Amino acid sequence: MSGRVEGRVAVVTGGCSGIGLAAARRLASEGARVVIGDLDDGRGHGVAAEIDGLYRHADVTSKDDVDALFQAAGDRFGTVDIAFNNAGISPAEDGSILETDLAAWDRVQQVNLTSVYLCCKAALPFMLRQQRGSIINTASFVAVRGSATSQISYTASKGGVLALSRELGVQFARNGIRVNALCPGPVNTPLLQQLLATDPDWAARRLVHIPIGRFAEPPEIANAVLFLASDEASFITASTFLVDGGISGAYVTPL
């Protein structure tokens, strides 16, 4: 199949690397006009040119920046049909609650959770006008299962994304707007590579829990984004959509 989101306008935050980049490319390959919001201006303009889209510098913790990002999409392409709210962080200083300080906690909540609130708030007026739309918020399997190695701020922020997505999915279902929380397992992204560099045991502690026996690759998560954005997912909303290699279904991980 091809053209599953033909002619639709998609806003992707964190679209310059990892899952966001893979999703921007995948959506564009299926006919969407993609607007990328990120902080990496050099990379962003290049990616936008590659996919014939648009790039806007956007700090997702800033309401003004987020509003300007979605308005730029509306001004250039007429509306917003798809919002993939993906930007997030998992800093090294976020560990056990016993060691994680308030500054680290606040920063993670701002980037991972408040940004999703801001992006949903900016996207919904476009979708309400046309009575159609798909919002996909990146959460994580750790919000469902708990992290094998504590990262308290990250896990809590992703739990908030789950709850926010469920509530919006219910609230706007009869307006033709679907809202889902995408919950990847560990993905081979620059963020994961950074974690591996700071803690070599990190990979071993996580790989043992993945029945498939490897980390996901960004295009595998992007395929799920495309599905949730398309009419193929027309009866899916307020869901916790797990793409985790079987982690959430494993009671005893096979060795």
Side-chain angles (χ1 to χ4, degrees):
M1 293 183 290
S2 61
R4 282 174 278 185
V5 287
E6 186 71 39
R8 297 181 194 177
V9 180
V11 175
V12 177
T13 61
C16 288
S17 64
I19 295 170
L21 175 59
R25 286 171 170 163
R26 192 75 180 95
L27 291 166
S29 76
E30 293 281 342
R33 307 305 301 270
V34 179
V35 180
I36 293 170
D38 207 301
L39 296 173
D40 188 345
D41 295 349
R43 186 81 186 274
H45 288 294
V47 173
E50 172 196 332
I51 63 175
D52 192 24
L54 180 68
Y55 170 78
R56 283 290 181 269
H57 181 95
D59 174 354
V60 292
T61 69
S62 163
K63 184 178 186 302
D64 289 344
D65 279 15
V66 169
D67 288 347
L69 170 65
F70 281 85
Q71 191 59 52
D75 291 345
R76 173 68 67 88
F77 299 121
T79 190
V80 175
D81 303 291
I82 300 160
F84 180 36
N85 303 321
N86 170 70
I89 59 172
S90 181
E93 59 270 24
D94 179 25
S96 165
I97 193 171
L98 300 175
E99 288 83 37
T100 301
D101 64 24
L102 183 58
W105 167 273
D106 285 344
R107 176 62 178 159
V108 173
Q109 305 315 310
Q110 286 292 309
V111 177
N112 291 5
L113 179 55
T114 300
S115 71
V116 174
Y117 159 83
L118 292 173
C119 288
C120 289
K121 193 174 180 69
L124 280 164
F126 291 98
M127 297 178 180
L128 286 168
R129 281 197 288 271
Q130 62 199 19
Q131 293 289 286
R132 184 187 73 246
S134 175
I135 296 175
I136 303 145
N137 298 322
T138 299
S140 171
F141 80 98
V142 300
V144 177
R145 300 294 292 179
S147 178
T149 302
S150 184
Q151 43 186 165
I152 187 63
S153 308
Y154 181 87
T155 300
S157 70
K158 295 303 186 179
V161 172
L162 293 189
L164 181 152
S165 301
R166 282 194 298 267
E167 180 155 327
L168 295 184
V170 171
Q171 181 179 357
F172 295 103
R174 297 197 180 186
N175 299 105
I177 301 168
R178 297 180 293 105
V179 185
N180 292 291
L182 177 66
C183 297
V187 184
N188 186 21
T189 64
L191 178 60
L192 182 140
Q193 294 299 330
Q194 179 182 351
L195 288 170
L196 293 180
T198 57
D199 185 357
D201 293 332
W202 189 94
R205 289 196 298 271
R206 278 159 174 75
L207 276 171
V208 72
H209 295 289
I210 305 175
I212 286 181
R214 63 171 176 84
F215 297 129
E217 294 297 328
E220 293 177 303
I221 310 303
N223 287 336
V225 175
L226 172 63
F227 171 69
L228 291 172
S230 76
D231 291 340
E232 294 170 21
S234 58
F235 203 62
I236 300 176
T237 196
S239 78
T240 299
F241 199 87
L242 285 147
V243 187
D244 65 358
I247 296 173
S248 56
Y251 178 65
V252 176
T253 305
L255 298 177

